[in-house]
Amino acid sequence: MAPTHSGTAESIPFFSQAATFEQLWPSIENALGDVFDSGKFSHGKQVGQLETELAHYTGARHVIGVNSGTDALVLLLRACGLRPGDGVLVPAYSFFATASAVVLAGGRPQFVDIDPHSYAMDPEALDAAVTPRSRFVMPVHLFHTMADMAAVDAVARRHGLTVVEDSAEAIGMRRRGVHAGLHGRGGVLSFFPSKTLGAIGDAGAVLTDDPRIAHTVAALRHHGRGGRTLNDFTAISTESALPGANSKMDDIQAAVLLAKLPLLEEHIARRAELAAAYTARLRDLPGVLRLPRAVPRTPEDRDVHYVYLIETEHRDALAGHLAGQSIGTEVYYPLPLPHQPVFGHLGHRPGEFPHAEAAARRALALPFHPDLRPGDLDRVRDAIGSFLATTRTTA
Ligand SMILES: *Cc1c(COP(=O)(O)O)cnc(C)c1O
């Protein structure tokens, strides 16, 4: 669609990868053609290839493709030896799957308030939340930065907790040169379409340096059946040693991800540019708006903007105002995890997790994807500016 220079403005969607797919279409078409030619749509060549490429990209010794980030968390927790009723410390503010994966694996979530700047688990609150039941801690890396893994690790050592990471949003993020997901026993990636590396449906992966965990996850994704080697699906046993799931990755998803992976670093650089361009435009607007903190950019420590999140006390009104100007936004995440109906029996009260509750009330994600153009950011800034001007005069 051509940009309109007069009349009503085009909508700015919250998320789009149309331009990316247009650019990549020849290679995606080729890759999909290979899958169709092979006639193997499940556990074929592409999944094994993607696992090898992702191991190279992340530095993980083992990558096991599965059918979603959520399943990756469940299978990782099971493979790490979670026993029924084990306490798993998780942040009170995250995507629902962080907590549901714990329950699906047989554990009990134990909620921890967040640090308001990183949106990740606060290490001091973590220390205070440990109980005799606690056996795991699962920090989450949200939006644009990682949890303070050195501090989480110190608490985990003091209490003998196993560390696993919900790094579903964190592809490309590193601390001290180590990719997200590889700071404890293992981590995960999600390839849900809107994630930094998105498929055309659901897909996920487990990352680990531990061969025992890797082999257990590989068996758990396929009815508890192991193959001769991890990435070889040609000689899978017909005997099940574990009550495994059916959580295989589709080769069609793997083929799309293989075609997109070579562009990932370019897209991450583009995301950094876009985030800086937003901050430059929003920084000086009159009115109260909290912007993401500057992120480290040394080769050893790298953050990646998965979303661009602002905070304001007038979040819902601002979202409505932007929607009125055809600008898409999303609320990440409107209800703190301890307040989800499914956890009602745990009896958590409002006020217990003040930073998680403030983020749930105030945070708004702006349109953010590699397809955005500078003119789009100007329009978002102008729309936010006009909103802030009216809330100031009516406040
Ligand atoms: C996306 C996401 C998941 C789940 O991944 P799916 O692939 O959608 O199952 C888990 N945790 C976090 C923090 C996520 O953002």
Side-chain angles (χ1 to χ4, degrees), residues 6 14 41-42 57 73 121 198 244 268 277 299 302 311 319 345 393 395:
S6 60
F14 173 69
F41 298 98
S42 172
Y57 179 81
L73 288 172
M121 173 180 280
I268 286 173
R302 188 173 72 170
E311 284 190 44
H345 64 285
T393 50

Side-chain angles (χ1 to χ4, degrees), residues 140-157:
V140 186
H141 313 303
L142 289 181
F143 310 138
H144 67 279
T145 194
M146 284 178 62
D148 182 346
M149 290 310 294
V152 167
D153 193 52
V155 177
R157 278 168 197 275

Side-chain angles (χ1 to χ4, degrees), residues 216-239:
T216 307
V217 170
L220 285 174
R221 74 176 159 184
H222 187 54
H223 308 290
R225 297 172 178 186
R228 207 170 35 204
T229 64
L230 262 183
N231 311 113
D232 174 10
F233 310 121
T234 55
I236 295 238
S237 155
T238 53
E239 291 178 14

Side-chain angles (χ1 to χ4, degrees), residues 312-330:
T312 159
E313 283 298 341
H314 308 282
R315 190 263 315 277
D316 295 336
L318 174 58
H321 178 82
L322 295 177
Q325 305 202 17
S326 306
I327 296 171
T329 58
E330 285 274 334

